[in-house]
Amino acid sequence: MSKILRGLFLYFIFTTHFIATCYRQNNIVIPKNFKETIPPKPWSDKWYKLNHSKNECKVEIINSKLKIGIPKEINECKLELETGTLVGTNGGEFGGKLIFTPKDKSKSDVKVTKGNILFLFHFKDKIYFISGLLHMSFNGGGMFELKPEGETFSIQKVMEFESAPMAFKIYKDKLLIAADKGFYVIKDFKKQLIFNNVFWESLYPNSIAVLNDKNVFVGIRSGIVKLDLNAKNLKFYMKI
């Protein structure tokens, strides 16, 4: 093989590998048992079929690949601190609470607040929780900062949500929230409702998985939704 042909061959191999690598980094393969489908209008006949589906789909990104599983109902969240453990419970319409259990067993638990505690997390060296409820005519929630004060905490509301939060993910310097009727992106503690009045209302988002801004997935009843946060569009893949 001449030097010119050899050079062209190596260039072709390098270019092919580079394109394939870039494609893998910016795209993701949808499992074969999911079919792209036009999202139905809420409360339509097609929507009711999804609402009554027994397929609950949880999304995860593992080694840059999309994995689909079955979500488990979790009504408790925990956050470990140096001095003890925060435990939040969510009883739906029956309420919930946030308590602090000290590591020092000689001290009693401290009831921090009441409410349906959905998520507890550290973010930018501070402690936060998200609460919310979807029941009857109430559909909403909020995000709060917890400030340790001795053996208890003070609470400061950071923001409200017009729709009940259901799934949550920290992605780089942003917080992503899939709510009953929309999808929020929070950056620099500024809330942006990227998608509003989405078809998954009452299809119970349960998880968020992120490869990049163009490949954000939400697991819902009956399938998965792919979001492009840059183009602000979505695709629905129904489980078949």
Side-chain angles (χ1 to χ4, degrees), residues 20-21 23-32 34 58-69 169 208-212 215-217 224 226:
T21 301
Y23 181 85
R24 286 195 299 269
Q25 290 176 345
N26 292 284
N27 293 275
I28 205 159
V29 176
I30 305 297
K32 293 182 179 179
F34 288 82
K58 176 185 175 182
V59 291
E60 290 182 283
I61 300 291
I62 300 176
N63 296 326
S64 298
K65 294 182 179 180
L66 179 64
K67 301 293 183 181
I68 312 296
K169 186 78 173 179
I208 300 172
V210 186
L211 179 67
N212 50 44
N215 290 270
V216 177
F217 294 87
I224 60 176
K226 179 179 179 291

Side-chain angles (χ1 to χ4, degrees), residues 132-171:
L133 177 65
L134 173 61
H135 180 64
M136 303 293 284
S137 62
F138 186 84
N139 189 348
M143 177 174 160
F144 302 82
E145 181 185 348
L146 278 176
K147 298 181 179 180
E149 294 184 352
E151 295 182 356
T152 185
F153 298 82
S154 65
I155 300 173
Q156 180 179 346
K157 179 179 283 188
V158 178
M159 66 185 67
E160 291 187 355
F161 301 110
E162 300 80 6
S163 181
M166 292 193 167
F168 166 79
K169 186 78 173 179
I170 298 175
Y171 171 56

Side-chain angles (χ1 to χ4, degrees), residues 189-233:
F189 296 98
K190 295 179 181 179
K191 178 183 66 178
Q192 186 177 8
L193 185 58
I194 300 292
F195 299 95
N196 191 21
N197 295 321
V198 288
F199 77 97
W200 68 53
E201 177 182 355
S202 292
L203 296 181
Y204 309 106
N206 61 70
S207 52
I208 300 172
V210 186
L211 179 67
N212 50 44
D213 286 342
K214 296 174 64 65
N215 290 270
V216 177
F217 294 87
V218 178
I220 64 172
R221 177 173 294 178
S222 75
I224 60 176
V225 184
K226 179 179 179 291
L227 309 178
D228 184 330
L229 301 183
N230 295 332
K232 297 184 180 180
N233 59 36

Side-chain angles (χ1 to χ4, degrees), residues 5-225:
L5 289 177
R6 188 187 300 252
L8 288 173
F9 177 75
L10 292 175
Y11 175 78
F12 174 78
I13 294 297
F14 173 80
T15 303
T16 303
H17 176 74
F18 177 79
I19 292 173
T21 301
C22 291
Y23 181 85
R24 286 195 299 269
Q25 290 176 345
N26 292 284
N27 293 275
I28 205 159
V29 176
I30 305 297
K32 293 182 179 179
N33 57 332
F34 288 82
K35 178 182 179 182
E36 185 176 352
T37 306
I38 297 175
K41 294 182 179 180
W43 318 112
S44 65
D45 290 342
K46 291 183 178 179
W47 178 92
Y48 272 107
K49 288 183 179 179
L50 302 183
N51 178 258
H52 288 83
S53 170
K54 295 182 179 180
N55 293 320
E56 301 280 352
C57 302
K58 176 185 175 182
V59 291
E60 290 182 283
I61 300 291
I62 300 176
N63 296 326
S64 298
K65 294 182 179 180
L66 179 64
K67 301 293 183 181
I68 312 296
I70 300 173
K72 295 180 180 180
E73 185 175 355
I74 300 175
N75 298 316
E76 183 179 272
C77 53
K78 294 183 178 182
L79 186 66
E80 297 291 338
L81 306 179
E82 289 184 3
T83 55
T85 305
L86 286 164
V87 180
T89 55
N90 170 28
E93 64 268 32
F94 303 106
K97 60 185 177 180
L98 177 62
I99 63 171
F100 175 70
T101 301
K103 285 185 177 179
D104 186 344
K105 300 304 179 182
S106 67
K107 298 180 180 180
S108 301
D109 289 353
V110 176
K111 184 176 180 180
V112 181
T113 188
K114 63 180 181 179
N116 294 288
I117 312 302
L118 307 176
F119 310 104
L120 279 164
F121 56 99
H122 282 113
F123 186 66
K124 296 188 176 181
D125 299 321
K126 294 183 179 180
I127 305 168
Y128 298 91
F129 72 88
I130 292 173
S131 65
L133 177 65
L134 173 61
H135 180 64
M136 303 293 284
S137 62
F138 186 84
N139 189 348
M143 177 174 160
F144 302 82
E145 181 185 348
L146 278 176
K147 298 181 179 180
E149 294 184 352
E151 295 182 356
T152 185
F153 298 82
S154 65
I155 300 173
Q156 180 179 346
K157 179 179 283 188
V158 178
M159 66 185 67
E160 291 187 355
F161 301 110
E162 300 80 6
S163 181
M166 292 193 167
F168 166 79
K169 186 78 173 179
I170 298 175
Y171 171 56
K172 295 182 178 179
D173 61 342
K174 295 180 283 193
L175 306 178
L176 309 180
I177 297 175
D180 177 59
K181 292 185 178 182
F183 190 90
Y184 296 95
V185 174
I186 301 166
K187 185 175 181 180
D188 298 327
F189 296 98
K190 295 179 181 179
K191 178 183 66 178
Q192 186 177 8
L193 185 58
I194 300 292
F195 299 95
N196 191 21
N197 295 321
V198 288
F199 77 97
W200 68 53
E201 177 182 355
S202 292
L203 296 181
Y204 309 106
N206 61 70
S207 52
I208 300 172
V210 186
L211 179 67
N212 50 44
D213 286 342
K214 296 174 64 65
N215 290 270
V216 177
F217 294 87
V218 178
I220 64 172
R221 177 173 294 178
S222 75
I224 60 176
V225 184

